[in-house]
Amino acid sequence: MAKAPPISNRIRELRESHGNMSQAALADSIGVTRQTVIAIELGKYSPSLESAFRIARVFGLGIEDVFGWDAPAAE
């Protein structure tokens, strides 16, 4: 089984705070499928840089306001 990427996100929280935007509406606005949005939201898939910027712009935020890097610290 593939390990989940160390990228967290606030997409669900942001969708809810933007009038309960549906996953389908977000998908349409950034040009991907609803299944892609679901996978990104659940942390099972890392978005392309372009998709990450598009998602951030939908919510009027910077990319780091939407996504976080949760990689363990190097020893």
Side-chain angles (χ1 to χ4, degrees):
M1 177 182 260
K3 188 175 179 181
I7 298 174
S8 60
N9 70 75
R10 299 177 45 225
I11 296 173
R12 183 178 182 146
E13 170 193 340
L14 292 167
R15 283 191 309 99
E16 291 174 353
S17 69
H18 283 75
N20 284 321
M21 175 188 284
S22 70
Q23 292 167 327
L26 177 58
D28 286 345
S29 67
I30 64 168
V32 300
T33 66
R34 180 175 167 264
Q35 287 74 22
T36 299
V37 168
I38 291 169
I40 293 169
E41 192 171 293
L42 294 175
K44 294 182 177 179
Y45 175 75
S46 295
S48 68
L49 186 57
E50 181 178 349
S51 291
F53 272 108
R54 288 179 186 267
I55 291 168
R57 288 192 177 179
V58 165
F59 299 117
L61 297 171
I63 201 165
E64 290 191 50
D65 296 319
V66 179
F67 296 95
W69 178 255
D70 299 331
E75 294 182 21

